[in-house]
Amino acid sequence: MSQYREITNKYLIAFQEGNKDEFANFYDDMKGIFARYAMRYLYDKSLWRDVLSETYIRISNSIASFNRLGNGYSWILKIIENAAKDINTKESKYVAVETLENLYVADDFDPYSEIDATIDLEYMLKDLDKSYLEVALLHFRGGRTQSEIAKMMDVSRSAVCQKIKKIKDVVKNKKTNT
């Protein structure tokens, strides 16, 4: 990693000094590494180009504030992460739970692989508080992380984790009892 730090700092300093072409060539050479890093944070992996474009713009706008003694590689990765999260928010297909209640979850829902048929989540979770259905839909259908759900619902991440575990157990038990 230190090799990336040294090289990145060299090109960021050149960019600070006005050599935009040299940095652009470096950025293009690093595109594969940066794209893979961006995809770690994207729901829609095809948006990696948007993230890299946004990152380049953000670097250009804030290059004057780059600390020459800092870790330029980490600085760029943090900008990529933030850009990816912002794009996720802009591209979000979040739909209120009320409109999702009648959706069914296909067999890829089951974390235990025992669920091989379409599941009516509303029916499976009818004995639980409505917040369990919301968590199930956001996590298993919407692809939201536990942290994102916790933030959306204004609860702790551990509370979401416990709900997901309970949902898995309820679905598993009801499936084996039918």
Side-chain angles (χ1 to χ4, degrees):
M1 276 299 184
S2 65
Q3 70 199 34
Y4 289 136
R5 177 184 178 166
E6 293 169 14
I7 292 168
T8 305
N9 281 6
K10 173 185 163 190
Y11 287 105
L12 285 170
I13 291 168
F15 194 16
Q16 271 185 327
E17 294 171 350
N19 192 341
K20 294 179 182 181
D21 292 337
E22 195 172 328
F23 180 77
N25 290 334
F26 159 77
Y27 194 77
D28 194 50
D29 290 344
M30 295 290 286
K31 182 170 40 177
I33 293 169
F34 293 156
R36 282 190 297 280
Y37 190 77
M39 284 187 235
R40 292 172 60 189
Y41 296 95
L42 288 170
Y43 293 128
D44 182 352
K45 307 298 185 211
S46 68
L47 295 173
W48 67 268
R49 287 178 188 85
D50 294 345
V51 171
L52 294 190
S53 296
E54 180 64 25
T55 300
Y56 191 86
I57 292 167
R58 290 180 185 191
I59 291 170
S60 297
N61 291 339
S62 60
I63 191 64
S65 67
F66 171 68
N67 178 358
R68 292 174 177 228
L69 300 175
N71 185 339
Y73 185 69
S74 294
W75 186 66
I76 290 175
L77 293 182
K78 190 62 177 175
I79 293 171
I80 291 170
E81 178 183 337
N82 290 336
K85 289 177 179 179
D86 290 346
I87 285 176
N88 280 339
T89 302
K90 289 177 190 171
E91 296 292 324
S92 179
K93 309 277 189 293
Y94 176 72
V95 181
V97 171
E98 293 76 30
T99 64
L100 295 173
E101 286 179 344
N102 295 319
L103 287 179
Y104 292 88
V105 177
D107 59 345
D108 61 349
F109 162 85
D110 181 48
Y112 295 104
S113 299
E114 280 102 27
I115 301 174
D116 54 4
T118 302
I119 297 170
D120 181 351
L121 272 182
E122 188 174 15
Y123 172 76
M124 288 286 198
L125 304 176
K126 70 179 179 185
D127 297 331
L128 300 176
D129 183 72
K130 190 172 183 168
S131 65
Y132 284 89
L133 177 62
E134 183 174 7
V135 168
L137 292 171
L138 288 171
H139 185 68
F140 297 108
R141 288 294 268 174
R144 302 286 182 169
T145 65
Q146 293 175 7
S147 299
E148 290 171 326
I149 296 169
K151 189 174 181 179
M152 291 168 75
M153 297 179 73
D154 197 27
V155 296
S156 69
R157 185 180 170 276
S158 63
V160 173
C161 183
Q162 290 170 357
K163 286 186 183 215
I164 289 172
K165 183 182 180 329
K166 178 135 182 143
I167 290 164
K168 290 175 182 179
D169 290 342
V170 166
V171 170
K172 181 181 177 184
N173 289 337
K174 287 194 177 185
K175 192 65 179 164
T176 55
N177 291 335
T178 57

